[in-house]
Amino acid sequence: MEFGIKVATPDKQRSACVVVGVFESKKMTDAAKELDRLSKGYIKEIIGQGDLEGRANTALLLHKIPNLQSKRVLLVGLGKEEKFGGNAFIAAVQTAFRTLQNTGTTDCALYLSETPVQERSHAWKVMQIAKLAVESNYHFDQLKSKPETNKKGLRKITICIGDQADLAAGEEALSQGAAIAHGMSLTKDLGNLAPNICTPTYLAEQAKELAKTYKLKVTILEEKDMEKQGMGALLAVARGSHQPAKLIALEYQGKGKKEKPIVLVGKGVTFDTGGISLKPAAEMDEMKYDMSGAASVLGTLKAVAEISLPINVVGIIPATENMPGGSATKPGDVVTSMSGQTIEVLNTDAEGRLILCDALTYAERFNPKTVIDIATLTGACVIALGHVATGLLSNNEALSQALIKAGEQAADQVWQLPLWDDYQDLLKSNFADMANIGGRAAGTITAACFLSRFTQKYHWAHLDIAGTAWKSGKEKGSTGRPVPLLTAYLIAQANAKN
């Protein structure tokens, strides 16, 4: 998709379609008013007839408007003006692109960036438009014998702004928004692939391709290497699978070698049956998304590399399947982690924390500034927060607040849960240093408590994306989250240094 941004007025547009907004009570935005003036009241007359009342999630496509050089005009309902905030803006842009994708329009000029949004800058609006444009064009039909992709679709989008002073910031936001969207597309592709294709070996190959394209350093540990490192927890999960486990490390260096990196650790269970503690059959196919944390790390690194962000970032991915079998780990087994701590495995379906704990210990060698792990870790998080917010737990409040702020900036929200010592007792074991589960109560918190025991040497945050990484039902598919959140956080950290 081709993007452009310029200072322009509606009367000069020759694109296939001009997009402007209309609030409820039929109040037009300034760009819509200008089109109405040029068409000698034509648009106002259409609105007056009740064809569009300005309600949110509505749109009206007009053809052959008098005195306009553009072939079409798309009027997008913005809802109530006094309530027009960031979420309403995103909904309006999504409505615009959804409507245009179902037409023969291949290029458009948007004036929604000029629409006032409560407490949001022009740059923020431009970034969202770029991200949502690429998202609207996303299709996953690689595995179909006859791809259904719309070969027409939007190909060129021009974002029009009214002030030359906003142009430089808009251009930067445009490139960042597009890069985030490209990272999300990679994350979606990996998540949506069938689990017989997206194996630990496949993830390692994708990491190598990413490293080759963007000149990153890549290290792949095989099972024999993990044995030498003492990664008994990770290997315990891999025992039941014929697919060899991998520990993937990617290093992006946008600053000098003395600069401490931010380390992202992504859970990479490419298929999770639950192991011996077998999951129910219903919806088990969706356990191919249990590597969404790993996919988001690769997607974020792609976005960071495209932007050429001046920051050092390391991505670590423990990748394995969790399968039942004669050699699979059993409930009651005791395993020794890379840290030397022993773990009683009470439930083999609590496998994510087992592979993450060794990866979090491995992260120490990079002398990190901070470490953030991303994992589809607990069904309890879905019960607590649904599919709206990602769960956040951390051993450092400044890091938590930075991630919360980044989530608000990226429209990829997180919600912080407590990580109090009171919950640690739930992990007690009579036979090992700890159990890998703490019972039904506070499942998301006790999972993070488990991980916190391997993160005492650095500032750390845990993102539980079990409810936000993919959608079920008719819209089944990966969401690409939390690539926007992670990239916004890294952009903020890079800007703080410069």
Side-chain angles (χ1 to χ4, degrees), residues 239-257:
R239 281 183 196 142
S241 175
H242 293 299
Q243 293 288 340
K246 308 284 182 180
L247 193 286
I248 304 161
L250 278 167
E251 299 174 56
Y252 167 83
Q253 190 170 315
K255 292 282 280 187
K257 292 183 179 179

Side-chain angles (χ1 to χ4, degrees), residues 400-464:
S400 293
Q401 292 304 314
L403 286 166
I404 290 169
K405 186 176 180 180
E408 292 170 350
Q409 170 67 18
D412 188 4
Q413 291 87 350
V414 298
W415 187 261
Q416 188 174 8
L417 297 169
L419 191 65
W420 300 333
D421 288 342
D422 309 60
Y423 294 101
Q424 293 283 357
D425 283 349
L426 296 172
L427 295 172
K428 282 184 176 179
S429 165
N430 290 346
F431 309 108
D433 294 333
M434 70 194 84
N436 76 323
I437 58 169
R440 286 175 60 95
T444 299
I445 296 171
T446 54
C449 284
F450 178 94
L451 296 176
S452 72
R453 300 184 181 201
F454 303 86
T455 63
Q456 295 175 0
K457 295 183 180 180
Y458 46 72
H459 293 161
W460 156 80
H462 164 62
L463 297 175
D464 193 326

Side-chain angles (χ1 to χ4, degrees), residues 15-301:
S15 63
C17 185
V18 173
V19 183
V20 295
V22 179
F23 289 107
E24 279 191 27
S25 302
K26 304 175 183 179
K27 181 180 178 181
M28 292 181 281
T29 58
D30 289 343
K33 288 176 183 176
E34 178 62 13
L35 292 179
D36 183 61
R37 184 188 68 78
L38 293 167
S39 65
K40 301 188 185 303
Y42 182 86
I43 292 176
K44 185 176 182 179
E45 181 180 350
I46 292 290
I47 294 173
Q49 292 173 357
D51 292 76
L52 184 82
E53 296 181 348
R55 291 194 305 272
N57 303 315
T58 62
L60 179 64
L61 188 63
L62 305 177
H63 297 263
K64 297 181 179 180
I65 310 299
N67 305 318
L68 297 190
Q69 299 182 54
S70 177
K71 296 177 182 178
R72 306 173 183 84
V73 170
L74 180 66
L75 304 178
V76 180
L78 305 178
K80 296 182 184 297
E81 185 176 12
E82 64 274 16
K83 295 183 178 180
F84 195 68
N87 289 339
F89 177 82
I90 289 171
V93 175
Q94 288 174 326
T95 298
F97 289 138
R98 185 168 57 248
T99 303
L100 292 176
Q101 293 289 12
N102 292 325
T103 71
T105 305
T106 56
D107 68 284
C108 70
L110 280 93
Y111 285 85
L112 289 182
S113 61
E114 284 301 290
T115 303
V117 180
Q118 296 170 13
E119 301 179 0
R120 296 295 187 181
S121 65
H122 282 306
W124 181 88
K125 290 181 282 185
V126 169
M127 181 181 290
Q128 292 301 322
I129 288 173
K131 179 171 73 73
L132 294 167
V134 176
E135 278 195 88
S136 75
N137 233 12
Y138 178 83
H139 298 275
F140 187 85
D141 54 10
Q142 292 91 312
L143 304 182
K144 295 189 176 184
S145 60
K146 296 180 180 179
E148 299 173 358
T149 301
N150 179 5
K151 297 302 182 183
K152 293 182 180 179
L154 286 170
R155 294 290 176 265
K156 180 179 179 182
I157 295 173
T158 303
I159 302 172
C160 300
I161 61 176
D163 194 338
Q164 185 73 31
D166 295 321
L167 191 58
E171 288 173 341
E172 182 181 30
L174 183 61
S175 64
Q176 289 179 350
I180 291 169
H182 296 154
M184 291 176 72
S185 293
L186 173 60
T187 299
K188 290 178 183 179
D189 282 347
L190 292 172
N192 290 331
L193 277 170
N196 60 319
I197 297 173
C198 188
T199 62
T201 299
Y202 184 88
L203 281 181
E205 290 169 352
Q206 296 307 298
K208 290 177 183 177
E209 283 296 315
L210 202 63
K212 183 178 179 182
T213 302
Y214 295 104
K215 299 180 180 179
L216 313 180
K217 181 181 177 182
V218 61
T219 303
I220 310 293
L221 298 189
E222 304 294 341
E223 288 187 353
K224 64 179 185 298
D225 303 312
M226 295 181 223
E227 288 173 3
K228 291 177 183 177
Q229 297 279 352
M231 295 183 177
L234 197 166
L235 290 170
V237 177
R239 281 183 196 142
S241 175
H242 293 299
Q243 293 288 340
K246 308 284 182 180
L247 193 286
I248 304 161
L250 278 167
E251 299 174 56
Y252 167 83
Q253 190 170 315
K255 292 282 280 187
K257 292 183 179 179
K258 292 183 179 180
E259 185 80 14
K260 290 184 176 181
I262 293 172
V263 177
L264 306 178
V265 179
K267 174 185 172 184
V269 178
T270 57
F271 194 78
D272 180 20
T273 66
I276 297 300
S277 306
L278 193 66
K279 291 179 180 288
E283 298 180 348
M284 192 197 285
D285 61 290
E286 294 187 4
M287 287 301 97
K288 70 177 186 176
Y289 293 114
D290 214 18
M291 41 60 69
S292 295
S296 70
V297 168
L298 293 176
T300 300
L301 282 168

